[in-house]
Amino acid sequence: MRLITHTDFDGVVCAVLISSCEEVDDIIFLDPATIQKRKMKITDNDILSDLPYHPKCGLWFDHHLSSKLKEGEKFEGEWAPKKSAARVVYDYYENSYLEKYKEMVEWADKIDSGEITKEEALLPAGWRLLSETLESDAEKKVDDAYRRKVIEWLKVGEGVEGILGKEEVKKRAEAALLDLQDYFGKVKEFGRMEGSVAYLDIRGMEKFPHGNNYLIYLAFPNAKVSMKVYDDRTDKEIVNVSVGQNAFNRISKVNIGALMKEYGGGGHPVVGGTHLKRIDADGKIKEILGRLKE
Ligand SMILES: [Mn+2]
């Protein structure tokens, strides 16, 4: 079968687990919007993981609240509101062969649900650092070939430190760490507080470095939530919005995934996002910002 998984660390871990239990002959990496917009032909030969449901797929694993199906709707696979899609897959197969991936799945839980420390946000190491190499800048093309290599290394039992010691990974890790420092500085420079919201609008700023979603809370520790607005890399008519609760101080009561769903997107209660049409993005951004202010 063909496995279609998310472009992030959780998606990669799903691929390790699923391809250990199913006959997978091809792995491709997609973002949720491509599935949502039905931009790709999906058949019952496809397995989807950490991505929204597609009615034509053969097997589906996800944990995003926004992709939960209506009661009684039948599908093969599993949806559960767990910390990572990897956890959903791991529990679904209940396969003792997968036990060697226990630690990796625990890290998928931590990373995907934002349970990381401030130190890990700015100076990641181990699994967190490996995850940064997999998720770094789309512009630099974290190519699918690299993700497939990491999946293979993990499957043949190379430990995370062994993988991080490989020349190619080392280079990517060093670049990711530099990007994080650079991003942190630029977030402080271009971000601002809008009420209780740390707001960062980088539309039109092509050279903005890549960073993770936590650094904005280090830059603006009093923020209850953050909102980032940025250009879509592939579709000029689209503006992306990412919203999250302060990962180090969860006091916001806004259900972000539900709010994003109202604007055509989705996510979890604590983090989510949507894609807006550029022509009416400004009005919608103002609206969302207004609803995020508490
Ligand atoms: Mn996930």
Side-chain angles (χ1 to χ4, degrees):
M1 292 176 87
R2 180 173 70 163
L3 173 61
I4 303 172
T5 193
H6 191 196
T7 46
D8 68 358
F9 181 68
D10 192 15
V12 165
V13 174
C14 284
V16 172
L17 302 175
I18 295 169
S19 65
S20 300
C21 298
E22 305 282 346
E23 287 287 339
V24 172
D25 42 41
D26 191 16
I27 304 176
I28 58 171
F29 303 86
L30 282 187
D31 62 306
T34 308
I35 299 287
Q36 250 159 359
K37 292 181 198 150
R38 302 280 144 91
K39 274 187 175 168
M40 199 178 164
K41 191 178 188 307
I42 304 291
T43 71
D44 60 6
N45 188 46
D46 290 322
I47 306 169
L48 297 182
S49 57
D50 202 25
L51 289 170
Y53 180 64
H54 190 291
K56 291 264 159 56
C57 78
L59 198 53
W60 174 57
F61 300 98
D62 195 19
H63 68 129
H64 293 91
L65 281 179
S66 53
S67 55
K68 187 179 181 190
L69 299 181
K70 288 197 195 80
E71 209 64 57
E73 214 169 316
K74 290 250 182 311
F75 66 93
E76 290 295 324
E78 178 88 353
W79 179 93
K82 295 184 177 176
K83 287 182 179 172
S84 66
R87 176 67 59 192
V88 176
V89 172
Y90 187 85
D91 293 348
Y92 173 87
Y93 285 105
E94 275 189 277
N95 188 334
S96 58
Y97 178 77
L98 296 183
E99 266 164 33
K100 60 182 176 185
Y101 297 124
K102 214 170 155 240
E103 185 189 285
M104 178 178 75
V105 175
E106 276 162 16
W107 276 97
D109 278 348
K110 276 203 202 188
I111 293 169
D112 222 56
S113 63
E115 286 172 7
I116 65 161
T117 64
K118 291 178 182 173
E119 291 70 36
E120 285 167 342
L122 197 54
L123 285 172
W127 288 105
R128 271 274 306 140
L129 184 55
L130 181 63
S131 116
E132 289 287 346
T133 70
L134 291 161
E135 294 176 26
S136 77
D137 208 324
E139 204 169 39
K140 279 183 223 142
K141 280 252 174 292
V142 174
D143 44 304
D144 293 354
Y146 172 66
R147 292 196 180 97
R148 286 190 196 102
K149 260 192 251 177
V150 172
I151 290 167
E152 271 322 300
W153 290 328
L154 289 167
K155 285 179 71 175
V156 297
E158 301 235 23
V160 63
E161 293 307 330
I163 294 174
L164 286 169
K166 289 177 190 291
E167 226 26 73
E168 177 182 5
V169 185
K170 230 191 243 172
K171 263 193 218 144
R172 288 175 189 261
E174 276 162 16
L177 286 169
L178 282 176
D179 267 1
L180 284 180
Q181 306 299 329
D182 192 10
Y183 182 81
F184 187 47
K186 292 239 166 46
V187 167
K188 284 193 272 193
E189 188 179 347
F190 294 101
R192 63 171 191 267
M193 289 298 290
E194 285 274 348
S196 56
V197 183
Y199 182 72
L200 178 66
D201 185 346
I202 56 169
R203 279 178 288 179
M205 299 175 66
E206 275 172 31
K207 288 273 179 306
F208 213 84
H210 177 82
N212 63 46
N213 297 328
Y214 307 105
L215 297 183
I216 195 162
Y217 309 116
L218 293 185
F220 300 97
N222 296 323
K224 288 187 182 174
V225 296
S226 75
M227 176 168 174
K228 180 178 164 187
V229 181
Y230 57 103
D231 297 317
D232 192 274
R233 292 198 194 275
T234 53
D235 189 340
K236 284 203 168 76
E237 298 313 307
I238 297 292
V239 169
N240 294 321
V241 176
S242 296
V243 179
Q245 291 183 3
N246 188 330
F248 305 116
N249 189 17
R250 294 217 190 278
I251 49 169
S252 169
K253 298 205 168 57
V254 180
N255 182 333
I256 289 167
L259 178 63
M260 290 299 100
K261 202 169 183 178
E262 286 182 44
Y263 290 90
H268 305 286
V270 298
V271 54
T274 189
H275 313 270
L276 303 173
K277 291 212 176 73
R278 187 175 298 278
I279 12 170
D280 56 6
D282 283 327
K284 296 227 164 101
I285 287 164
K286 244 193 198 145
E287 257 179 63
I288 295 169
L289 205 45
R291 293 182 63 182
L292 288 173
K293 287 183 190 171
E294 291 171 280

